[in-house]
Amino acid sequence: MKIALLSRNRRLYSSRRLIEAAEERGHEVKVIDVLRCYMNIASAKPSVHLEGDPLIGFDAVIPRIGASVTAYGTAVIRQFEMMGVYPLIESVALSRSRDKLRALQLLSRKGIGLPITGFANKPGDSKDLIKMVGGAPLVIKLLEGTQGIGVVLAETNKAAESVIEAFMGVHANILVQEFIKEAGGSDIRCLVVGGKVVAAMRRQAPEGEFRSNLHRGGSASLVKITPEERATAVSAAKILGLSVAGVDLLRSERGPLVMEVNSSPGLEGIESASGKNVAGIIIDYLEKNAKPGRTATRGKG
Ligand code: ADP
C-alpha cells in the first residue's frame, strides 16, 4: 500500500511507530503536513496538491491531526475521501470527536454511561448550573483544554461558583461535571481498533492530585478490564464512527463512565504499559480495510 501519514512531525513517537510498522510490512509511507496541502474544491475531479504536485496513487490516509488544526485537517481528509482514498479516521468522525459537546451529546443519546455533565457558554445563573449537575464536589473543565490543563476540582459550591465566574470572565467555554471520587485519581484508557479493545492501561494520578494525565505526573500500568468496560469502549468508538480511538473511562459505583474519546490517541504510553504492538495492529487493520472508495461518508459530512 501507499499510505499518507498526515502528521506535522515525523519524529513524534506515534508517527515513528506507524511508519516503522507500515514499512516492516512492505508499505510505502509519505509524511504530509496538512497545513502545506492545498486543494481545488470547485473541481469535478477532486485533488490535493503539495509543493507543486498532486498527491496521487494513495491507498490510505492515516490522520494524526493536532487539535489546533482540526478544521483544516478535516477538510484535507474529506478531500481524500472524495478522491476515494480510504481514511483510517473519517473526516466526520474526527469532527465529532473533537467537539466535546457534540461527542458527549451523541454518546448520551445512545445511553452510554457518562458523568453528569453540564455545558455552559454564559450561564446567567451559575448557582442553578451547579444545582443542575448535583452540586459540589464538581470538576470544571475548559473545553479547549488538553493534557489536564484547565481541569479544576471545586470542593464546595462557593468554590465552583467562583471558578465558573472566573472562566466566564475570560470568555471560555466550559463543562461542569460530577466528580467521580471513587475513581481514586485513576482512569482507564482503552485503545479500540476495528471494534475491539486491543490494549488497555490504567493511569494513576500522583498523591494529592486527581488528574491522572501522564503529562501531570501520572503513572501507567497494565490493567485487566471488565466485559462491561470493554463493551462501553467499543460502543463509544462506534457511535462516533471511529475505527481507531482512545476511550477514557472512569470506574464509578454505577459502572464505567466515558470521559473522553480521543481520535488521535498517543501510542507511547499504551504500547509500553501493555507491551502490545498497537502500531502494527493499526496497520494490519488498514491492510484489511483500505479498499478504494470504501468510506462510509465519502466526504458527505
Ligand atoms: P484532558 O482532556 O485535558 O486530559 P480530562 O477531562 O481527561 O482532561 O481530565 C483530566 C484528568 O482528570 C482525567 O484523566 C481524570 O483522571 C481526571 N478527571 C476528569 N474528569 C473527572 C471527573 N468527572 N471525576 C473524576 N476525575 C476526573
Side-chain angles (χ1 to χ4, degrees), residues 134-150:
L138 287 173
V139 176
I140 300 158
K141 303 183 185 180
L142 275 177
L143 278 193
E144 290 78 21
T146 56
Q147 301 173 348
I149 298 162

Side-chain angles (χ1 to χ4, degrees), residues 45 97 108 112 118-119 125 134 156 190-191 211 225 239 241 289:
K45 208 165 166 280
S97 69
S108 73
I112 295 290
F119 281 101
D125 190 340
T156 64
C190 298
L191 213 296
R211 296 168 299 178
I225 57 169
I239 290 164
N289 292 280

Side-chain angles (χ1 to χ4, degrees), residues 195-258:
K196 291 196 188 76
V197 176
V198 301
M201 67 172 167
R202 181 166 170 270
R203 292 177 295 205
Q204 177 67 51
E207 190 67 33
E209 171 64 77
F210 77 101
R211 296 168 299 178
S212 58
N213 304 71
L214 302 182
H215 288 95
R216 307 250 74 73
S219 54
S221 58
L222 186 65
V223 70
K224 190 162 166 31
I225 57 169
T226 65
E228 195 190 3
E229 287 164 349
R230 193 171 287 276
T232 301
V234 168
S235 303
K238 181 157 183 257
I239 290 164
L240 297 185
L242 291 166
S243 50
V244 172
V247 181
D248 293 341
L249 302 174
L250 289 170
R251 280 185 166 162
S252 82
E253 280 159 359
R254 54 179 201 276
L257 304 178
V258 173

